[in-house]
Amino acid sequence: MPNKELDQTLVLIKPDALKNSLTGYVLSQLSEFHTGLRFAGVKIVHVTRMLAAEHYAEHVGKVFYDSLLEYITGNIHYPGAPEKQRVIAIVYQGPDAVRKLRDIAGPTNPHQARDTKPGCIRALGTVAPLKNAEGRIVGERMDNLIHASANDTDAEREIKLWFRPNDIPPAMQGYPTRESGDHFYFIGNRLLTTHEPGSVLIVAPGDIVWKSDLDALQQHFNGGKAGTTLESVVAKYLVNKFLEGKTST
Ligand code: CDP
Ligand code: MG
């Protein structure tokens, strides 16, 4: 970001932090007084499988992947209680936002966090063994309270994945936007420009959309090669609309 004041990072206060009532503690660690950073966007999100899978796409196939999706969707900490399954998603803004937040979050593994960086947020997390069908321990699930983008490229991808431009005040938006001239609807895994029963309106004419999202929607609709998956664009438009199952995969 040429203007360091517009540096941004995505923070997620994960379901274990909510379950353990650590929200206030986490937010106070991240306050402008401590970090010099400001809130640019905040929302409470019931995380769909689609959003979880896009957010953690880099971890597909790893031994902890399935349980990571169960964790971030709230199924581990609030099983059978969709009314409690949510994360708090925050865009933080200001000079060196990514580095500052990674620093305050600490190492991924809470045991390592306690050993090497006492006082960091993830030092308050837990580690649970992962077992295979025979009951043998095959890995670890790290419940580490908070997500913070790893670098500027990830921050841009993740902020655009979780937030629409108008979730963020215009002067705080860090990435180019465009006004849509079309309707886009989503059903199953398909994109439409006219309504079909059961489809969900994603974008209407006049809506302000991330430029990269609108480019991707047009490329997907025209059957061309888009740099991003359709799901990575539509996931944020589906969250908090209904419980899983209607249109998501
Ligand atoms: O979150 P961070 O970028 O520090 O770590 P990551 O390697 O990108 O992993 C993403 C998330 O997967 C972690 O924050 C953990 O919650 C989880 N994870 C896990 O459960 N078990 C592991 N062995 C590694 C990561
Ligand atoms: Mg990561």
Side-chain angles (χ1 to χ4, degrees), residues 136-155:
R136 199 167 58 83
I137 294 176
V138 290
E140 292 175 319
R141 195 190 71 244
M142 295 167 188
D143 296 353
N144 52 14
L145 306 168
I146 183 173
H147 168 83
S149 307
N151 53 57
D152 288 339
T153 308
D154 281 4

Side-chain angles (χ1 to χ4, degrees), residues 14 56 58-59 62-65 67-68 71 102 106-109 122 130 139-150 154:
K14 293 176 168 181
Y56 284 126
E58 67 173 302
H59 297 301
K62 294 186 185 166
V63 67
F64 60 86
Y65 176 74
S67 98
L68 176 57
Y71 165 37
R102 287 294 280 195
T108 306
N109 184 328
R122 286 171 157 182
L130 288 173
E140 292 175 319
R141 195 190 71 244
M142 295 167 188
D143 296 353
N144 52 14
L145 306 168
I146 183 173
H147 168 83
S149 307
D154 281 4

Side-chain angles (χ1 to χ4, degrees), residues 48-168:
T48 59
R49 298 289 291 189
M50 183 192 284
L51 180 59
E54 287 297 331
H55 182 75
Y56 284 126
E58 67 173 302
H59 297 301
V60 173
K62 294 186 185 166
V63 67
F64 60 86
Y65 176 74
D66 289 339
S67 98
L68 176 57
L69 295 205
E70 289 293 292
Y71 165 37
I72 202 67
T73 54
N75 283 317
I76 302 268
H77 294 89
Y78 295 110
E83 73 282 4
K84 296 181 181 169
Q85 294 167 342
R86 77 279 188 216
V87 307
I88 302 177
I90 308 170
V91 179
Y92 272 98
Q93 185 171 71
D96 292 324
V98 168
R99 187 192 55 73
K100 283 178 182 161
L101 261 296
R102 287 294 280 195
D103 202 44
I104 292 169
T108 306
N109 184 328
H111 290 169
Q112 195 195 336
R114 279 197 277 286
D115 284 349
T116 63
K117 218 163 177 278
C120 72
I121 292 171
R122 286 171 157 182
L124 297 179
T126 54
V127 177
L130 288 173
K131 297 182 180 168
N132 65 9
E134 291 80 49
R136 199 167 58 83
I137 294 176
V138 290
E140 292 175 319
R141 195 190 71 244
M142 295 167 188
D143 296 353
N144 52 14
L145 306 168
I146 183 173
H147 168 83
S149 307
N151 53 57
D152 288 339
T153 308
D154 281 4
E156 177 172 354
R157 186 186 74 82
E158 293 171 358
I159 289 166
K160 289 175 174 178
L161 176 65
W162 289 75
F163 285 82
R164 298 167 299 191
N166 59 2
D167 294 325
I168 298 170

Side-chain angles (χ1 to χ4, degrees), residues 32-45:
E32 185 167 0
F33 176 74
H34 286 114
T35 60
L37 305 177
R38 301 169 296 278
F39 292 110
V42 181
K43 56 164 102 166
I44 311 292
V45 179

Side-chain angles (χ1 to χ4, degrees), residues 120-244:
C120 72
I121 292 171
R122 286 171 157 182
L124 297 179
T126 54
V127 177
L130 288 173
K131 297 182 180 168
N132 65 9
E134 291 80 49
R136 199 167 58 83
I137 294 176
V138 290
E140 292 175 319
R141 195 190 71 244
M142 295 167 188
D143 296 353
N144 52 14
L145 306 168
I146 183 173
H147 168 83
S149 307
N151 53 57
D152 288 339
T153 308
D154 281 4
E156 177 172 354
R157 186 186 74 82
E158 293 171 358
I159 289 166
K160 289 175 174 178
L161 176 65
W162 289 75
F163 285 82
R164 298 167 299 191
N166 59 2
D167 294 325
I168 298 170
M172 303 184 97
Q173 292 168 11
Y175 311 109
T177 58
R178 266 178 65 194
E179 186 176 329
S180 178
D182 299 305
H183 285 101
F184 286 103
Y185 300 85
F186 185 74
I187 185 167
N189 55 4
R190 285 187 303 130
L191 197 60
L192 313 167
T193 52
T194 51
H195 183 257
E196 267 181 25
S199 67
V200 177
L201 179 63
I202 303 299
V203 170
D207 284 356
I208 303 298
V209 183
W210 298 122
K211 179 184 178 308
S212 56
D213 275 359
L214 196 53
D215 293 347
L217 286 173
Q218 286 167 338
Q219 281 157 355
H220 277 284
F221 187 73
N222 294 325
K225 250 180 96 74
T228 56
T229 63
L230 183 53
E231 285 75 10
S232 72
V233 177
V234 303
K236 63 185 155 296
Y237 293 103
L238 301 181
V239 294
N240 294 348
K241 278 209 163 141
F242 32 65
L243 285 178
E244 199 94 61

